[in-house]
C-alpha cells in the first residue's frame, strides 16, 4: 500500500518537483519584489524539471500537473500585477472541490463511492448498500478535510494580508498544506478501511 501511495504522489521526487517552483517564486518575490522576474524564474524551473523528466524518459505527469497550475497562477498574477494572485487559483480550486464533496455528502452520493464504482466497473451499485454509503461518506469527509483546511488558512491571508508577508505566508502555506496534508488524509482513509471489513450486505434471497 505504501508503494501504491508513493506511486500516486510521484514519490519524494514528485513532491519536491511540485514544491520547488512555488519556493522559487516566493523567495524571488521577497528578494526582488519584481513580479515578472519571479514568474519567469518559477516557470523556467518547471520547464527545466519537465525537460529532465523527458530526457530521462520517466513519467512527466506530475511535473506537467504542477506546470499547469503555475501557468494559471502566473496568468492571474500578471493580469492584476499583485503577487498574491499567483496563489488565488489554488485557493479557488480547493474551495470548488470542498463544495462539490460537501454536496455529494449532503445528497448521500459521496464522491468516494464513485471512485469505488470506477474500480468495480459499476459506478452506482455501491449506493444500494446503506453500509457502503455510510463508509464512503466517512471517507469523503476525510478526503475533503485538506481542501477545507487550505481554504480556511489561505483564504483570510489572501483577502486581508498585504505585502511581502502575505506572499511569504501563502507560499509557505501552499507547500506545508500541499502533499503533506493529502498524504495524511489518505493515511486516515486507509486506517478507517483497515478497522474492519467493508460492510457490504449479502444479497437477500427471493422468498
Amino acid at each position: 500500500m505504501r508503494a501504491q501511495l508513493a506511486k500516486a504522489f510521484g514519490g519524494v521526487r514528485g513532491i519536491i518537483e511540485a514544491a520547488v517552483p512555488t519556493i522559487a517564486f516566493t523567495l524571488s518575490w521577497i528578494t526582488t519584489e519584481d513580479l515578472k522576474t519571479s514568474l519567469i524564474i518559477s516557470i523556467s524551473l518547471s520547464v527545466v524539471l519537465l525537460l529532465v523528466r523527458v530526457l530521462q524518459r520517466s513519467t512527466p505527469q506530475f511535473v506537467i500537473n504542477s506546470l499547469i497550475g503555475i501557468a494559471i497562477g502566473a496568468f492571474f498574477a500578471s493580469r492584476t500585477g499583485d503577487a498574491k494572485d499567483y496563489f488565488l487559483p489554488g485557493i479557488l480550486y480547493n474551495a470548488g472541490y470542498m463544495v462539490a464533496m460537501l454536496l455529494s455528502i449532503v445528497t448521500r452520493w459521496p464522491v468516494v463511492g464513485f471512485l469505488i464504482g470506477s474500480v468495480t466497473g459499476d459506478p452506482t451499485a455501491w449506493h444500494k448498500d446503506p453500509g457502503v454509503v455510510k463508509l464512503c461518506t466517512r471517507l469523503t469527509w476525510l478526503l475533503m478535510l485538506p481542501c477545507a483546511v487550505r481554504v480556511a488558512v489561505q483564504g483570510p491571508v489572501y483577502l486581508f494580508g498585504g505585502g511581502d508577508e502575505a506572499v511569504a505566508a501563502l507560499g509557505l502555506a501552499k507547500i506545508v498544506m500541499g502533499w503533506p496534508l493529502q498524504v495524511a488524509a489518505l493515511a486516515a482513509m486507509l486506517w478507517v478501511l483497515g478497522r474492519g471489513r467493508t460492510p457490504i450486505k449479502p444479497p437477500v434471497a427471493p422468498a
Side-chain angles (χ1 to χ4, degrees):
M1 187 60 70
R2 287 194 297 270
Q4 290 300 318
L5 284 175
K7 182 178 179 181
F9 286 102
V12 174
R13 180 177 178 179
I15 294 172
I16 293 174
E17 288 171 339
V20 164
T22 298
I23 295 172
F25 174 84
T26 304
L27 292 178
S28 176
W29 169 256
I30 292 173
T31 303
T32 67
E33 293 191 2
D34 188 321
L35 180 60
K36 184 177 180 180
T37 299
S38 303
L39 292 175
I40 289 174
I41 291 174
S42 178
I43 294 174
S44 298
L45 276 174
S46 297
V47 172
V48 169
L49 292 171
L50 177 60
L51 289 175
V52 171
R53 283 279 191 176
V54 172
L55 291 174
Q56 293 179 341
R57 296 182 178 179
S58 59
T59 176
Q61 172 190 348
F62 305 100
V63 181
I64 291 175
N65 291 343
S66 176
L67 182 58
I68 291 173
I70 290 166
I72 295 173
F75 173 78
F76 272 64
S78 62
R79 294 281 291 182
T80 64
D82 191 340
K84 287 195 306 180
D85 288 330
Y86 178 84
F87 302 96
L88 179 58
I91 297 173
L92 296 177
Y93 173 87
N94 280 281
Y97 261 81
M98 181 184 69
V99 171
M101 284 189 279
L102 183 59
L103 286 175
S104 77
I105 291 171
V106 171
T107 57
R108 294 188 58 78
W109 283 88
V111 166
V112 171
F114 292 101
L115 298 178
I116 294 174
S118 67
V119 174
T120 62
D122 191 331
T124 60
W126 58 272
H127 196 262
K128 299 174 184 177
D129 191 310
V132 176
V133 174
K134 185 177 181 180
L135 174 63
C136 290
T137 298
R138 291 175 180 172
L139 296 175
T140 302
W141 276 115
L142 291 172
L143 190 63
M144 185 187 78
L145 188 58
C147 296
V149 171
R150 290 171 192 139
V151 173
V153 173
Q154 297 175 32
V157 176
Y158 173 81
L159 292 173
F160 306 114
D164 292 349
E165 294 80 7
V167 175
L170 287 169
L172 179 63
K174 183 173 182 179
I175 295 165
V176 173
M177 296 182 176
W179 293 122
L181 264 186
Q182 205 65 42
V183 170
L186 289 176
M189 292 171 70
L190 291 175
W191 178 78
V192 170
L193 287 171
R195 291 181 64 188
R197 296 181 179 179
T198 305
I200 300 177
K201 295 180 180 178
V204 179

